[in-house]
Amino acid sequence: MKKILKDACILAALMILSVFAISIIWSGITDETVLVLRLFVLALIISSANHIMDEYISLPIIMIYTVKYFTITGIVMLFGFISGWFYPSNFWMAFIYVGAVLVLAYPIDSFRIKKDIEFINKQIAERDAREAASPDINEKDARP
Amino acid sequence: MYYIENVDRKLFIYTIKDVYRLEASMQEIEKMTADTDLVRISRTCIINTDHLKEIKQVKNSRLEAVLDNGEMLIVSRKYLQDIKKVFRRDLS
Protein backbone atom coordinates (compact mmCIF):
# COMPACT_ATOMS: atom_id res chain seq x y z
CA MET A 1 0.00 0.00 0.00
CA LYS A 2 2.82 2.37 0.97
CA LYS A 3 4.62 1.70 -2.32
CA ILE A 4 1.39 2.27 -4.31
CA LEU A 5 0.83 5.62 -2.55
CA LYS A 6 4.45 6.63 -3.13
CA ASP A 7 4.25 5.66 -6.81
CA ALA A 8 0.90 7.51 -7.11
CA CYS A 9 2.47 10.69 -5.68
CA ILE A 10 5.45 10.46 -8.07
CA LEU A 11 3.12 9.81 -11.01
CA ALA A 12 0.88 12.75 -9.99
CA ALA A 13 3.94 15.02 -9.82
CA LEU A 14 5.09 13.85 -13.27
CA MET A 15 1.57 14.35 -14.69
CA ILE A 16 1.39 17.88 -13.26
CA LEU A 17 4.83 18.71 -14.68
CA SER A 18 3.94 17.26 -18.11
CA VAL A 19 0.58 19.07 -18.29
CA PHE A 20 2.13 22.39 -17.28
CA ALA A 21 5.13 21.89 -19.61
CA ILE A 22 2.72 21.45 -22.54
CA SER A 23 0.70 24.40 -21.25
CA ILE A 24 3.85 26.59 -21.25
CA ILE A 25 4.61 25.55 -24.85
CA TRP A 26 1.04 26.35 -26.02
CA SER A 27 0.09 29.39 -24.00
CA GLY A 28 3.32 30.64 -22.45
CA ILE A 29 3.94 31.18 -18.77
CA THR A 30 0.80 31.90 -16.76
CA ASP A 31 0.25 32.58 -13.03
CA GLU A 32 -0.70 28.92 -12.52
CA THR A 33 2.45 27.56 -14.16
CA VAL A 34 4.61 29.96 -12.13
CA LEU A 35 2.89 28.76 -8.94
CA VAL A 36 3.45 25.08 -9.82
CA LEU A 37 7.10 25.66 -10.77
CA ARG A 38 7.67 27.60 -7.54
CA LEU A 39 6.12 24.78 -5.52
CA PHE A 40 8.48 22.31 -7.19
CA VAL A 41 11.48 24.53 -6.44
CA LEU A 42 10.30 24.87 -2.82
CA ALA A 43 9.86 21.08 -2.57
CA LEU A 44 13.40 20.61 -3.94
CA ILE A 45 14.87 23.06 -1.40
CA ILE A 46 12.96 21.47 1.52
CA SER A 47 13.94 17.94 0.43
CA SER A 48 17.60 19.00 0.20
CA ALA A 49 17.46 20.62 3.65
CA ASN A 50 15.77 17.52 5.06
CA HIS A 51 18.44 15.28 3.53
CA ILE A 52 21.26 17.44 4.96
CA MET A 53 19.64 17.46 8.43
CA ASP A 54 19.22 13.66 8.39
CA GLU A 55 22.83 13.24 7.32
CA TYR A 56 24.53 15.64 9.72
CA ILE A 57 22.30 15.94 12.78
CA SER A 58 22.05 13.08 15.23
CA LEU A 59 19.46 14.01 17.84
CA PRO A 60 16.50 12.37 19.55
CA ILE A 61 13.45 12.19 17.26
CA ILE A 62 11.53 14.99 19.07
CA MET A 63 14.54 17.30 18.85
CA ILE A 64 15.09 16.47 15.17
CA TYR A 65 11.44 17.30 14.42
CA THR A 66 11.75 20.57 16.37
CA VAL A 67 14.87 21.53 14.40
CA LYS A 68 13.16 20.52 11.15
CA TYR A 69 10.02 22.48 12.09
CA PHE A 70 11.88 25.76 12.57
CA THR A 71 14.26 25.23 9.64
CA ILE A 72 11.52 24.32 7.16
CA THR A 73 9.24 27.10 8.45
CA GLY A 74 12.12 29.53 7.92
CA ILE A 75 12.61 28.26 4.36
CA VAL A 76 8.86 28.48 3.60
CA MET A 77 8.70 32.02 5.04
CA LEU A 78 11.72 33.20 3.08
CA PHE A 79 10.49 31.57 -0.13
CA GLY A 80 6.97 32.90 0.55
CA PHE A 81 8.21 36.46 0.96
CA ILE A 82 10.34 36.24 -2.20
CA SER A 83 7.41 34.77 -4.16
CA GLY A 84 4.92 37.25 -2.71
CA TRP A 85 2.82 34.55 -1.03
CA PHE A 86 2.88 36.18 2.37
CA TYR A 87 2.14 39.67 3.56
CA PRO A 88 3.94 41.00 6.64
CA SER A 89 0.69 40.52 8.55
CA ASN A 90 0.18 36.82 7.81
CA PHE A 91 3.71 35.37 7.61
CA TRP A 92 3.00 33.39 10.78
CA MET A 93 0.69 31.18 8.68
CA ALA A 94 3.89 29.35 7.60
CA PHE A 95 4.15 27.96 11.15
CA ILE A 96 0.65 26.47 10.78
CA TYR A 97 1.21 25.02 7.29
CA VAL A 98 4.53 23.40 8.22
CA GLY A 99 3.22 22.35 11.64
CA ALA A 100 0.24 20.56 10.07
CA VAL A 101 2.53 18.56 7.76
CA LEU A 102 4.94 17.65 10.55
CA VAL A 103 2.12 16.68 12.94
CA LEU A 104 1.06 14.13 10.31
CA ALA A 105 4.60 13.06 9.47
CA TYR A 106 5.79 12.50 13.06
CA PRO A 107 3.50 9.56 14.02
CA ILE A 108 3.95 7.97 10.58
CA ASP A 109 7.74 8.26 10.90
CA SER A 110 7.74 6.94 14.49
CA PHE A 111 5.56 3.97 13.51
CA ARG A 112 7.75 3.17 10.50
CA ILE A 113 10.93 3.27 12.61
CA LYS A 114 9.34 0.99 15.21
CA LYS A 115 8.35 -1.50 12.50
CA ASP A 116 11.82 -1.36 10.88
CA ILE A 117 13.51 -2.07 14.22
CA GLU A 118 11.13 -4.96 14.90
CA PHE A 119 11.87 -6.43 11.47
CA ILE A 120 15.65 -6.14 11.89
CA ASN A 121 15.64 -7.59 15.42
CA LYS A 122 13.39 -10.46 14.31
CA GLN A 123 15.81 -11.29 11.48
CA ILE A 124 18.76 -11.19 13.89
CA ALA A 125 16.94 -13.49 16.34
CA GLU A 126 16.10 -15.96 13.55
CA ARG A 127 19.68 -15.90 12.28
CA ASP A 128 21.02 -16.54 15.80
CA ALA A 129 18.52 -19.38 16.24
CA ARG A 130 19.67 -20.96 12.96
CA GLU A 131 23.29 -20.71 14.06
CA ALA A 132 22.51 -22.19 17.47
CA ALA A 133 20.70 -25.08 15.77
CA SER A 134 23.80 -25.99 13.75
CA PRO A 135 26.66 -25.86 16.29
CA ASP A 136 29.06 -27.80 14.01
CA ILE A 137 29.33 -24.82 11.76
CA ASN A 138 30.30 -21.93 13.92
CA GLU A 139 29.65 -19.26 11.36
CA LYS A 140 30.63 -16.40 13.62
CA ASP A 141 34.23 -17.66 13.89
CA ALA A 142 34.44 -17.89 10.11
CA ARG A 143 33.19 -14.35 9.60
CA PRO A 144 35.51 -11.62 8.43
CA MET B 1 35.62 -7.30 11.74
CA TYR B 2 33.11 -5.38 13.83
CA TYR B 3 32.90 -1.98 12.23
CA ILE B 4 34.64 0.81 10.32
CA GLU B 5 34.58 4.27 11.83
CA ASN B 6 35.44 7.67 10.44
CA VAL B 7 37.19 9.72 13.11
CA ASP B 8 38.36 13.18 12.01
CA ARG B 9 38.40 12.04 8.37
CA LYS B 10 40.56 9.03 9.21
CA LEU B 11 39.10 5.56 8.84
CA PHE B 12 39.67 2.84 11.40
CA ILE B 13 38.71 -0.83 11.23
CA TYR B 14 37.76 -2.36 14.56
CA THR B 15 38.35 -6.11 14.74
CA ILE B 16 38.05 -8.55 17.62
CA LYS B 17 41.58 -7.83 18.82
CA ASP B 18 43.00 -4.86 16.97
CA VAL B 19 42.26 -1.52 15.38
CA TYR B 20 43.69 -0.78 11.93
CA ARG B 21 44.00 2.48 10.04
CA LEU B 22 42.49 2.39 6.57
CA GLU B 23 43.55 4.61 3.68
CA ALA B 24 40.22 5.17 1.94
CA SER B 25 37.10 7.29 2.11
CA MET B 26 33.71 6.22 3.46
CA GLN B 27 32.30 6.45 -0.08
CA GLU B 28 35.01 4.13 -1.43
CA ILE B 29 34.39 1.62 1.36
CA GLU B 30 30.66 1.86 0.79
CA LYS B 31 31.14 1.07 -2.91
CA MET B 32 33.51 -1.81 -2.15
CA THR B 33 31.17 -3.33 0.40
CA ALA B 34 27.96 -3.05 -1.63
CA ASP B 35 25.98 -6.32 -1.53
CA THR B 36 27.94 -7.62 1.45
CA ASP B 37 26.96 -7.83 5.11
CA LEU B 38 28.66 -4.52 5.80
CA VAL B 39 26.27 -1.60 5.91
CA ARG B 40 26.44 2.09 6.72
CA ILE B 41 24.54 3.02 9.89
CA SER B 42 25.51 6.68 10.21
CA ARG B 43 27.58 9.35 8.54
CA THR B 44 30.69 8.03 10.28
CA CYS B 45 30.16 4.30 10.73
CA ILE B 46 29.83 1.08 8.70
CA ILE B 47 29.07 -2.08 10.67
CA ASN B 48 29.33 -5.77 9.99
CA THR B 49 25.76 -7.00 10.43
CA ASP B 50 27.10 -10.48 11.24
CA HIS B 51 28.05 -9.04 14.62
CA LEU B 52 24.86 -7.04 15.11
CA LYS B 53 22.98 -8.23 18.18
CA GLU B 54 20.05 -5.81 18.11
CA ILE B 55 18.86 -2.32 17.26
CA LYS B 56 17.58 -0.42 20.27
CA GLN B 57 15.49 2.72 20.44
CA VAL B 58 16.48 4.51 23.60
CA LYS B 59 13.40 6.09 25.20
CA ASN B 60 11.61 6.58 21.88
CA SER B 61 14.42 8.73 20.56
CA ARG B 62 18.02 7.84 19.71
CA LEU B 63 18.75 4.58 17.90
CA GLU B 64 21.65 2.35 18.88
CA ALA B 65 23.17 -0.74 17.31
CA VAL B 66 24.31 -3.23 19.93
CA LEU B 67 27.14 -5.48 18.75
CA ASP B 68 27.82 -8.97 20.10
CA ASN B 69 30.91 -7.64 21.89
CA GLY B 70 28.67 -5.27 23.86
CA GLU B 71 29.67 -2.10 22.00
CA MET B 72 26.91 0.37 21.15
CA LEU B 73 26.98 2.58 18.07
CA ILE B 74 24.61 5.37 17.11
CA VAL B 75 22.34 4.60 14.15
CA SER B 76 20.93 7.37 11.96
CA ARG B 77 17.26 6.81 11.18
CA LYS B 78 18.08 7.54 7.56
CA TYR B 79 20.13 4.32 7.28
CA LEU B 80 17.58 1.94 8.85
CA GLN B 81 16.27 1.07 5.39
CA ASP B 82 19.79 0.06 4.29
CA ILE B 83 20.13 -2.27 7.30
CA LYS B 84 16.76 -3.78 6.43
CA LYS B 85 17.92 -4.35 2.87
CA VAL B 86 20.86 -6.47 4.09
CA PHE B 87 18.52 -8.76 6.04
CA ARG B 88 15.97 -8.84 3.22
CA ARG B 89 18.73 -9.92 0.83
CA ASP B 90 19.77 -12.67 3.23
CA LEU B 91 16.17 -13.90 3.22
CA SER B 92 15.99 -14.21 -0.56
Side-chain angles (χ1 to χ4, degrees):
Chain A
M1 188 64 195
K2 198 173 77 178
K3 194 179 180 308
I4 293 171
L5 277 174
K6 193 177 166 186
D7 288 349
C9 288
I10 293 168
L11 183 62
L14 288 173
M15 285 162 74
I16 291 166
L17 276 180
S18 307
V19 168
F20 276 89
I22 292 165
S23 172
I24 289 170
I25 293 164
W26 281 102
S27 12
I29 293 174
T30 60
D31 287 347
E32 287 79 16
T33 51
V34 169
L35 175 67
V36 168
L37 291 175
R38 278 181 177 160
L39 284 172
F40 270 91
V41 171
L42 179 60
L44 183 69
I45 294 168
I46 291 172
S47 298
S48 306
N50 194 39
H51 178 83
I52 290 166
M53 284 187 280
D54 283 342
E55 186 75 29
Y56 291 95
I57 303 173
S58 179
L59 288 171
I61 191 164
I62 296 274
M63 292 285 285
I64 259 284
Y65 266 85
T66 308
V67 171
K68 281 183 179 182
Y69 178 58
F70 285 105
T71 307
I72 293 170
T73 304
I75 291 169
V76 172
M77 270 187 194
L78 189 66
F79 200 87
F81 274 124
I82 293 167
S83 306
W85 293 344
F86 298 125
Y87 302 106
S89 58
N90 73 345
F91 71 93
W92 53 269
M93 287 294 284
F95 281 103
I96 294 172
Y97 294 137
V98 176
V101 174
L102 288 186
V103 161
L104 286 174
Y106 176 77
I108 293 168
D109 197 25
S110 300
F111 180 75
R112 189 176 54 85
I113 286 170
K114 198 175 160 226
K115 286 284 165 199
D116 286 350
I117 292 171
E118 279 173 10
F119 173 85
I120 294 165
N121 287 340
K122 190 177 165 219
Q123 295 307 315
I124 293 169
E126 284 175 7
R127 180 193 67 191
D128 290 348
R130 279 197 302 272
E131 286 177 7
S134 53
D136 292 342
I137 307 161
N138 193 340
E139 289 179 34
K140 277 192 177 179
D141 289 343
R143 285 174 194 160
Chain B
M1 188 200 87
Y2 283 115
Y3 61 96
I4 299 167
E5 193 175 28
N6 184 342
V7 182
D8 295 333
R9 295 184 181 178
K10 292 177 188 124
L11 292 196
F12 296 94
I13 299 179
Y14 295 80
T15 65
I16 294 170
K17 284 182 183 171
D18 299 302
V19 178
Y20 299 95
R21 171 86 192 273
L22 189 64
E23 291 294 338
S25 69
M26 286 294 271
Q27 286 74 24
E28 285 168 347
I29 298 294
E30 231 183 336
K31 274 183 195 166
M32 281 160 55
T33 57
D35 298 326
T36 68
D37 288 340
L38 301 186
V39 66
R40 195 164 183 167
I41 60 163
S42 67
R43 197 167 54 88
T44 58
C45 191
I46 292 170
I47 63 160
N48 183 354
T49 54
D50 286 342
H51 290 288
L52 181 61
K53 196 175 157 196
E54 67 170 321
I55 302 278
K56 276 202 314 194
Q57 189 168 23
V58 186
K59 291 179 185 169
N60 201 30
S61 59
R62 197 180 291 269
L63 304 181
E64 286 178 350
V66 183
L67 303 185
D68 55 16
N69 66 349
E71 273 195 79
M72 284 184 275
L73 303 164
I74 289 173
V75 179
S76 295
R77 291 179 300 123
K78 186 186 161 193
Y79 293 102
L80 264 187
Q81 291 298 316
D82 295 339
I83 304 172
K84 262 178 87 174
K85 270 183 205 163
V86 171
F87 287 99
R88 279 221 174 104
R89 197 188 56 225
D90 288 350
L91 280 177
S92 55

Coordinates of all heavy atoms in Angstrom, one line a residue, chain A residues 31-89:
Chain A
D31 N 0.1 32.5 -14.5 CA 0.3 32.6 -13.0 C 0.3 31.2 -12.4 O 1.0 30.9 -11.5 CB -0.9 33.4 -12.4 CG -0.7 34.9 -12.7 OD1 0.4 35.3 -13.1 OD2 -1.7 35.7 -12.5
E32 N -0.6 30.3 -13.0 CA -0.7 28.9 -12.5 C 0.6 28.2 -12.7 O 1.1 27.5 -11.8 CB -1.8 28.2 -13.2 CG -3.2 28.6 -12.8 CD -3.7 29.8 -13.5 OE1 -3.1 30.2 -14.5 OE2 -4.7 30.5 -13.0
T33 N 1.2 28.3 -13.9 CA 2.5 27.6 -14.2 C 3.6 28.1 -13.3 O 4.4 27.3 -12.8 CB 2.9 27.7 -15.6 OG1 2.9 29.0 -16.0 CG2 2.0 26.9 -16.5
V34 N 3.6 29.4 -13.0 CA 4.6 30.0 -12.1 C 4.4 29.4 -10.7 O 5.4 29.0 -10.1 CB 4.5 31.5 -12.1 CG1 5.4 32.1 -11.0 CG2 4.9 32.1 -13.4
L35 N 3.2 29.3 -10.3 CA 2.9 28.8 -8.9 C 3.4 27.3 -8.8 O 4.1 26.9 -7.9 CB 1.4 28.8 -8.6 CG 1.0 28.2 -7.3 CD1 1.5 29.0 -6.1 CD2 -0.6 28.1 -7.2
V36 N 3.1 26.5 -9.9 CA 3.4 25.1 -9.8 C 5.0 25.0 -9.8 O 5.6 24.2 -9.1 CB 2.8 24.3 -11.0 CG1 3.4 22.9 -11.2 CG2 1.3 24.2 -10.8
L37 N 5.6 25.7 -10.7 CA 7.1 25.7 -10.8 C 7.7 26.1 -9.4 O 8.7 25.5 -9.0 CB 7.6 26.5 -11.9 CG 7.3 26.0 -13.3 CD1 7.7 27.0 -14.4 CD2 7.9 24.6 -13.6
R38 N 7.1 27.1 -8.8 CA 7.7 27.6 -7.5 C 7.5 26.5 -6.5 O 8.4 26.3 -5.6 CB 7.0 28.9 -7.1 CG 7.6 30.1 -7.8 CD 6.9 31.4 -7.4 NE 7.5 32.5 -7.9 CZ 7.0 33.7 -8.1 NH1 5.7 33.9 -7.6 NH2 7.6 34.7 -8.6
L39 N 6.4 25.8 -6.5 CA 6.1 24.8 -5.5 C 7.1 23.7 -5.7 O 7.6 23.1 -4.7 CB 4.7 24.2 -5.7 CG 3.6 25.1 -5.1 CD1 2.2 24.6 -5.4 CD2 3.7 25.2 -3.6
F40 N 7.5 23.4 -7.0 CA 8.5 22.3 -7.2 C 9.9 22.8 -6.7 O 10.6 22.0 -6.1 CB 8.5 21.9 -8.7 CG 7.6 20.8 -9.0 CD1 6.3 21.1 -9.4 CD2 8.0 19.5 -8.9 CE1 5.4 20.0 -9.7 CE2 7.1 18.4 -9.1 CZ 5.8 18.7 -9.5
V41 N 10.2 24.0 -6.9 CA 11.5 24.5 -6.4 C 11.5 24.5 -4.9 O 12.5 24.1 -4.3 CB 11.7 26.0 -7.0 CG1 12.9 26.6 -6.3 CG2 11.9 26.0 -8.5
L42 N 10.4 24.9 -4.3 CA 10.3 24.9 -2.8 C 10.5 23.4 -2.3 O 11.2 23.2 -1.3 CB 9.0 25.5 -2.4 CG 8.7 25.5 -0.8 CD1 9.8 26.3 -0.1 CD2 7.4 26.1 -0.5
A43 N 9.8 22.5 -3.0 CA 9.9 21.1 -2.6 C 11.3 20.6 -2.7 O 11.8 19.9 -1.8 CB 8.9 20.2 -3.4
L44 N 12.0 21.0 -3.7 CA 13.4 20.6 -3.9 C 14.3 21.2 -2.8 O 15.1 20.4 -2.3 CB 13.9 21.1 -5.3 CG 15.3 20.7 -5.7 CD1 15.4 19.2 -6.0 CD2 15.7 21.5 -7.0
I45 N 14.1 22.4 -2.5 CA 14.9 23.1 -1.4 C 14.6 22.4 -0.1 O 15.5 22.0 0.7 CB 14.6 24.6 -1.3 CG1 15.0 25.3 -2.6 CG2 15.2 25.2 -0.1 CD1 14.5 26.7 -2.7
I46 N 13.3 22.1 0.2 CA 13.0 21.5 1.5 C 13.5 20.0 1.6 O 14.1 19.6 2.6 CB 11.4 21.5 1.7 CG1 10.9 22.9 2.0 CG2 11.0 20.6 2.9 CD1 9.4 23.1 2.0
S47 N 13.4 19.3 0.5 CA 13.9 17.9 0.4 C 15.5 17.9 0.6 O 16.0 17.1 1.4 CB 13.6 17.3 -0.9 OG 12.3 17.2 -1.1
S48 N 16.1 18.9 0.0 CA 17.6 19.0 0.2 C 17.9 19.3 1.7 O 18.8 18.7 2.2 CB 18.2 20.1 -0.7 OG 17.8 19.9 -2.0
A49 N 17.2 20.3 2.2 CA 17.5 20.6 3.7 C 17.2 19.4 4.6 O 18.0 19.2 5.5 CB 16.6 21.8 4.0
N50 N 16.1 18.7 4.3 CA 15.8 17.5 5.1 C 16.9 16.5 5.0 O 17.3 15.9 6.0 CB 14.4 17.0 4.5 CG 13.8 16.0 5.5 OD1 13.9 16.2 6.7 ND2 13.3 14.9 4.9
H51 N 17.4 16.3 3.8 CA 18.4 15.3 3.5 C 19.7 15.7 4.3 O 20.3 14.8 5.0 CB 18.7 15.2 2.0 CG 19.9 14.3 1.7 ND1 19.7 12.9 1.6 CD2 21.2 14.5 1.5 CE1 20.8 12.4 1.3 NE2 21.8 13.3 1.2
I52 N 20.1 17.0 4.3 CA 21.3 17.4 5.0 C 21.1 17.3 6.5 O 22.0 16.8 7.2 CB 21.6 18.9 4.6 CG1 22.0 19.0 3.1 CG2 22.6 19.5 5.5 CD1 22.0 20.4 2.5
M53 N 19.9 17.6 7.0 CA 19.6 17.5 8.4 C 19.7 16.0 8.9 O 20.3 15.7 9.9 CB 18.3 18.1 8.8 CG 18.3 19.6 8.8 SD 16.8 20.3 9.4 CE 15.8 20.2 8.0
D54 N 19.2 15.1 8.1 CA 19.2 13.7 8.4 C 20.7 13.1 8.4 O 21.0 12.3 9.1 CB 18.4 12.8 7.4 CG 16.9 12.9 7.7 OD1 16.5 13.3 8.8 OD2 16.1 12.6 6.8
E55 N 21.5 13.7 7.5 CA 22.8 13.2 7.3 C 23.7 13.8 8.4 O 24.6 13.0 8.9 CB 23.4 13.7 5.9 CG 24.7 13.2 5.6 CD 24.7 11.8 5.1 OE1 23.7 11.3 4.6 OE2 25.8 11.1 5.3
Y56 N 23.6 15.0 8.8 CA 24.5 15.6 9.7 C 24.1 15.8 11.2 O 24.9 16.1 12.0 CB 25.0 17.0 9.2 CG 25.8 16.9 7.9 CD1 25.3 16.9 6.7 CD2 27.2 16.6 8.0 CE1 26.0 16.8 5.5 CE2 27.9 16.4 6.9 CZ 27.4 16.5 5.6 OH 28.1 16.4 4.5
I57 N 22.8 15.7 11.4 CA 22.3 15.9 12.8 C 21.9 14.6 13.4 O 21.0 13.9 12.8 CB 21.1 16.9 12.8 CG1 21.6 18.3 12.2 CG2 20.7 17.2 14.3 CD1 20.4 19.3 12.0
S58 N 22.4 14.3 14.5 CA 22.1 13.1 15.2 C 21.5 13.5 16.6 O 22.2 13.8 17.5 CB 23.3 12.2 15.4 OG 22.9 11.0 16.1
L59 N 20.2 13.6 16.6 CA 19.5 14.0 17.8 C 18.3 13.1 18.1 O 17.8 12.4 17.2 CB 18.9 15.4 17.6 CG 19.9 16.6 17.6 CD1 19.2 17.9 17.2 CD2 20.6 16.8 19.0
P60 N 17.7 13.1 19.3 CA 16.5 12.4 19.5 C 15.4 12.8 18.6 O 15.4 14.0 18.1 CB 16.1 12.7 21.0 CG 17.4 13.1 21.6 CD 18.3 13.7 20.5
I61 N 14.5 11.9 18.3 CA 13.5 12.2 17.3 C 12.6 13.5 17.5 O 12.4 14.2 16.6 CB 12.5 11.0 17.1 CG1 11.7 11.1 15.8 CG2 11.7 10.7 18.3 CD1 11.0 9.8 15.3
I62 N 12.3 13.8 18.8 CA 11.5 15.0 19.1 C 12.4 16.2 18.7 O 11.9 17.2 18.1 CB 11.1 15.0 20.6 CG1 10.2 13.9 20.9 CG2 10.6 16.4 21.0 CD1 8.7 14.1 20.7
M63 N 13.6 16.2 19.1 CA 14.5 17.3 18.9 C 14.7 17.5 17.3 O 14.7 18.6 16.9 CB 15.9 17.0 19.5 CG 15.9 17.0 21.0 SD 15.7 18.7 21.7 CE 17.4 19.3 21.4
I64 N 14.9 16.4 16.6 CA 15.1 16.5 15.2 C 13.9 17.1 14.5 O 14.0 18.0 13.7 CB 15.3 15.0 14.6 CG1 16.8 14.8 14.3 CG2 14.6 14.8 13.3 CD1 17.4 15.5 13.1
Y65 N 12.7 16.7 15.0 CA 11.4 17.3 14.4 C 11.3 18.8 14.8 O 10.8 19.6 14.0 CB 10.2 16.5 14.9 CG 9.9 15.4 13.8 CD1 10.5 14.2 13.9 CD2 9.0 15.7 12.8 CE1 10.2 13.2 12.9 CE2 8.7 14.8 11.8 CZ 9.3 13.5 11.9 OH 9.0 12.6 10.9
T66 N 11.8 19.2 16.0 CA 11.7 20.6 16.4 C 12.7 21.4 15.5 O 12.3 22.4 15.0 CB 12.2 20.7 17.8 OG1 11.4 19.8 18.6 CG2 12.0 22.1 18.3
V67 N 13.9 20.8 15.3 CA 14.9 21.5 14.4 C 14.3 21.6 13.0 O 14.4 22.7 12.4 CB 16.2 20.8 14.4 CG1 17.2 21.3 13.3 CG2 16.9 20.8 15.8
K68 N 13.7 20.5 12.5 CA 13.2 20.5 11.1 C 12.0 21.5 11.0 O 11.9 22.2 10.0 CB 12.7 19.1 10.8 CG 13.8 18.2 10.4 CD 13.2 16.8 9.9 CE 14.4 15.9 9.5 NZ 13.9 14.6 9.1
Y69 N 11.2 21.6 12.1 CA 10.0 22.5 12.1 C 10.5 23.9 11.9 O 10.0 24.6 11.0 CB 9.3 22.3 13.4 CG 8.1 23.2 13.5 CD1 7.0 23.2 12.6 CD2 8.0 24.2 14.6 CE1 5.9 24.1 12.7 CE2 6.9 25.0 14.7 CZ 5.9 25.0 13.8 OH 4.8 25.8 13.9
F70 N 11.5 24.4 12.7 CA 11.9 25.8 12.6 C 12.7 26.0 11.3 O 12.5 27.1 10.7 CB 12.7 26.2 13.8 CG 11.8 26.4 15.0 CD1 11.8 25.4 16.0 CD2 11.0 27.5 15.1 CE1 10.9 25.6 17.1 CE2 10.1 27.6 16.2 CZ 10.1 26.7 17.2
T71 N 13.5 25.0 10.9 CA 14.3 25.2 9.6 C 13.3 25.3 8.4 O 13.4 26.2 7.6 CB 15.2 24.0 9.4 OG1 16.0 23.9 10.6 CG2 16.2 24.3 8.3
I72 N 12.4 24.3 8.3 CA 11.5 24.3 7.2 C 10.6 25.5 7.2 O 10.3 26.1 6.1 CB 10.8 23.0 7.1 CG1 11.8 21.9 6.8 CG2 9.7 23.0 6.0 CD1 11.2 20.4 6.9
T73 N 10.1 25.9 8.4 CA 9.2 27.1 8.5 C 10.0 28.3 8.0 O 9.5 29.1 7.2 CB 8.7 27.3 9.9 OG1 8.1 26.1 10.3 CG2 7.8 28.5 10.0
G74 N 11.3 28.4 8.4 CA 12.1 29.5 7.9 C 12.2 29.6 6.4 O 12.1 30.6 5.8
I75 N 12.5 28.4 5.8 CA 12.6 28.3 4.4 C 11.3 28.7 3.7 O 11.3 29.5 2.7 CB 13.0 26.8 3.9 CG1 14.4 26.5 4.4 CG2 12.9 26.6 2.4 CD1 14.8 25.0 4.3
V76 N 10.2 28.2 4.2 CA 8.9 28.5 3.6 C 8.6 30.0 3.7 O 8.1 30.6 2.7 CB 7.7 27.7 4.3 CG1 6.3 28.1 3.8 CG2 7.9 26.2 4.0
M77 N 8.9 30.6 4.9 CA 8.7 32.0 5.0 C 9.5 32.8 4.0 O 9.0 33.7 3.4 CB 9.1 32.4 6.5 CG 8.0 32.3 7.5 SD 8.7 33.0 9.0 CE 7.5 32.5 10.1
L78 N 10.8 32.5 4.0 CA 11.7 33.2 3.1 C 11.2 33.1 1.6 O 11.1 34.1 0.9 CB 13.1 32.6 3.2 CG 14.3 33.4 2.5 CD1 14.5 34.8 3.1 CD2 15.6 32.6 2.6
F79 N 10.9 31.8 1.2 CA 10.5 31.6 -0.1 C 9.2 32.3 -0.4 O 8.9 32.9 -1.4 CB 10.3 30.1 -0.3 CG 10.3 29.6 -1.8 CD1 11.5 29.4 -2.4 CD2 9.1 29.5 -2.5 CE1 11.5 29.0 -3.8 CE2 9.1 29.2 -3.8 CZ 10.3 28.9 -4.5
G80 N 8.3 32.3 0.7 CA 7.0 32.9 0.6 C 7.1 34.4 0.4 O 6.4 35.0 -0.4
F81 N 8.0 35.0 1.1 CA 8.2 36.5 1.0 C 8.7 36.8 -0.4 O 8.3 37.7 -1.1 CB 9.2 37.0 2.0 CG 8.5 37.3 3.3 CD1 8.9 36.7 4.5 CD2 7.4 38.2 3.4 CE1 8.3 37.0 5.7 CE2 6.8 38.5 4.6 CZ 7.2 37.9 5.7
I82 N 9.7 36.0 -0.9 CA 10.3 36.2 -2.2 C 9.3 36.1 -3.3 O 9.2 36.9 -4.2 CB 11.5 35.3 -2.4 CG1 12.7 35.6 -1.5 CG2 12.0 35.4 -3.9 CD1 13.8 34.6 -1.4
S83 N 8.4 35.1 -3.1 CA 7.4 34.8 -4.2 C 6.2 35.6 -4.0 O 5.3 35.6 -4.9 CB 7.0 33.3 -4.1 OG 8.1 32.5 -4.1
G84 N 6.1 36.4 -2.9 CA 4.9 37.3 -2.7 C 3.7 36.5 -2.2 O 2.6 36.9 -2.4
W85 N 3.9 35.3 -1.6 CA 2.8 34.5 -1.0 C 2.3 35.1 0.3 O 1.2 35.0 0.6 CB 3.2 33.1 -0.8 CG 3.5 32.3 -2.1 CD1 3.2 32.7 -3.3 CD2 4.2 31.1 -2.2 NE1 3.6 31.7 -4.2 CE2 4.3 30.7 -3.5 CE3 4.8 30.2 -1.2 CZ2 4.9 29.6 -4.0 CZ3 5.4 29.1 -1.7 CH2 5.4 28.7 -3.1
F86 N 3.2 35.7 1.0 CA 2.9 36.2 2.4 C 2.9 37.7 2.4 O 3.8 38.3 1.8 CB 3.8 35.6 3.4 CG 3.8 34.1 3.6 CD1 5.0 33.4 3.5 CD2 2.6 33.5 3.8 CE1 5.0 32.0 3.6 CE2 2.6 32.1 3.9 CZ 3.8 31.4 3.8
Y87 N 2.1 38.2 3.2 CA 2.1 39.7 3.6 C 2.8 39.8 5.0 O 2.7 38.8 5.7 CB 0.7 40.3 3.6 CG 0.0 40.1 2.2 CD1 -1.0 39.2 2.1 CD2 0.4 40.9 1.1 CE1 -1.6 39.0 0.9 CE2 -0.2 40.7 -0.1 CZ -1.2 39.8 -0.2 OH -1.8 39.7 -1.4
P88 N 3.3 40.9 5.3 CA 3.9 41.0 6.6 C 3.0 40.6 7.8 O 3.4 40.2 8.8 CB 4.4 42.5 6.7 CG 4.5 42.9 5.3 CD 3.5 42.1 4.5
S89 N 1.7 40.8 7.5 CA 0.7 40.5 8.5 C 0.4 39.0 8.7 O -0.1 38.6 9.7 CB -0.6 41.3 8.3 OG -1.1 40.9 7.0

